[in-house]
Amino acid sequence: MPELPDLEVVRDILSPRIVGQAVRGVEVNRPDLLRTGEGSVSLLVRKELHAIGRRGKYLLFSFGPEAHLLVHLMRWGWLWHGPHGYTPTTATQLRLMFDDGSDLRLIEARSPYLAAAWVVPDPKTAEPLRGLGVEPLSAEFTPEVLRHLIAGKRRPLKRFLTDQSLIAGIGNAYADEILFRARLSPVRYTHTLTEDELDRLWHAIGEALRWAIREIRARVGDVLFDREVRDFLFVHGKKGDPCRECGTPIAEILFEDARTNYCPRCQGPRVAPPLRRG
Ligand SMILES: [Zn+2]
């Protein structure tokens, strides 16, 4: 599933290609993809794309003040941009046709079909974005904000980092990378962190995400990719490989149905939650 770094790169690649283009038509091939109803796409027709933004794991295509297309690629979805004349495959779920003769297509080749899109007049009040937490690469996300988010919570760090209502955009893979960088175990509980560890976690969040954006961009160039580029990661998906810091084999646990990888040595022993007092 694409996470913040993947989506930032997609946004960066797509923006110079289609921002400024007007939509001449929209084709919806899987009506349930559009959560605002199939007819809602008419809002986009003859409008010019002003900007492509991102909020959490959503891409936000803004066609002026009253028309915004939100896209969540979920597990298997990806975006394709190319000539209109290129015959769409049966996996094409949504097709935006631009004035310059290019198409932006949302492709989802395998079921269950989970990708979703919304056409909304105001993204700020739109259902999927309303409950999202802070953007971890924004100036708003200070160490103080992290301290505030963690205060009073008793939950494993992996679950804390992937909770979209607290911090938006971090998923399974980058939570593992952040925790490796912070030298913290994914099963450490939030309320056991010292001030030093909190500080390390805050730095690791920004560093890991920025590093990933650079690494992905360096690998894909200007080519839109149809699967996540993850070869450069330190721990996620690296079960059994030697840790690049200490050589210990990377461990894997299934944590709340998600594959979680970590270095047992660099990230310390698994710390059980302390006994309740009183
Ligand atoms: Zn290690």
Side-chain angles (χ1 to χ4, degrees):
M1 182 188 286
E3 300 182 26
L4 184 155
D6 310 294
L7 295 171
E8 276 300 313
V9 173
V10 168
R11 184 171 85 95
D12 210 38
I13 293 172
L14 269 180
S15 293
R17 295 195 193 184
I18 55 174
V19 168
Q21 297 297 329
V23 173
R24 60 184 175 87
V26 185
E27 204 177 273
V28 182
N29 297 322
R30 177 167 67 83
D32 65 340
L33 169 92
L34 267 171
R35 302 299 162 85
T36 43
E38 201 175 346
S40 62
V41 291
S42 61
L43 258 182
L44 309 178
V45 179
R46 286 185 294 282
K47 298 244 170 48
E48 188 182 296
L49 178 61
H50 288 199
I52 307 175
R54 181 197 53 77
R55 181 77 176 96
K57 297 183 195 170
Y58 296 82
L59 284 171
L60 177 57
F61 299 82
S62 294
F63 296 84
E66 293 285 302
H68 305 267
L69 171 70
L70 297 179
V71 171
H72 197 307
L73 297 171
M74 294 298 291
R75 211 156 166 177
W76 313 118
W78 60 282
L79 294 172
W80 179 92
H81 176 253
H84 175 72
Y86 192 92
T87 310
T89 64
T90 51
T92 303
Q93 315 278 359
L94 179 72
R95 187 178 183 196
L96 260 65
M97 295 163 260
F98 291 104
D99 265 350
D100 70 345
S102 73
D103 274 12
L104 178 66
R105 299 177 191 169
L106 195 162
I107 315 274
E108 200 178 24
R110 46 172 137 171
S111 64
Y113 298 112
L114 302 169
W118 297 254
V119 178
V120 296
D122 183 2
K124 283 195 199 72
T125 58
E127 181 59 45
L129 303 189
R130 246 189 342 225
L132 291 180
V134 65
E135 280 294 329
L137 293 184
S138 70
E140 202 188 319
F141 184 61
T142 60
E144 202 41 56
V145 166
L146 179 64
R147 198 167 289 118
H148 177 76
L149 287 174
I150 274 184
K153 290 189 182 69
R154 301 167 72 96
R155 58 171 83 172
L157 282 170
K158 174 94 187 209
R159 194 198 302 157
F160 171 80
L161 284 177
T162 52
D163 184 339
Q164 301 303 300
S165 71
L166 300 174
I167 303 174
I170 299 170
N172 200 28
Y174 287 104
D176 286 359
E177 294 302 308
I178 288 165
L179 290 169
F180 176 71
R181 199 169 275 252
R183 301 292 184 264
L184 291 167
S185 162
V187 294
R188 262 294 283 283
Y189 270 64
T190 45
H191 65 285
T192 68
L193 293 189
T194 63
E195 280 298 308
D196 256 15
E197 288 170 332
L198 256 172
D199 207 49
R200 255 165 39 210
L201 180 61
W202 181 81
H203 281 286
I205 290 171
E207 284 169 14
L209 296 174
R210 286 192 189 92
W211 159 76
I213 292 170
R214 286 195 307 272
E215 294 290 329
I216 297 168
R217 190 64 201 250
R219 281 160 174 76
V220 301
D222 281 326
V223 179
L224 279 177
F225 42 99
D226 61 1
R227 59 184 64 82
E228 293 97 21
V229 179
R230 298 267 161 93
D231 62 292
F232 59 91
L233 298 185
F234 281 84
V235 286
H236 189 76
K238 306 289 182 189
K239 178 188 175 186
D241 287 2
C243 168
R244 283 188 254 166
E245 294 291 327
C246 74
T248 303
I250 298 298
E252 181 166 286
I253 51 170
L254 200 61
F255 181 79
E256 294 173 349
D257 289 336
R259 191 173 61 163
T260 291
N261 300 107
Y262 64 101
C263 172
R265 186 160 176 204
C266 293
Q267 294 173 257
R270 290 174 62 172
V271 176
L275 294 171
R276 277 180 198 281
R277 293 196 191 90

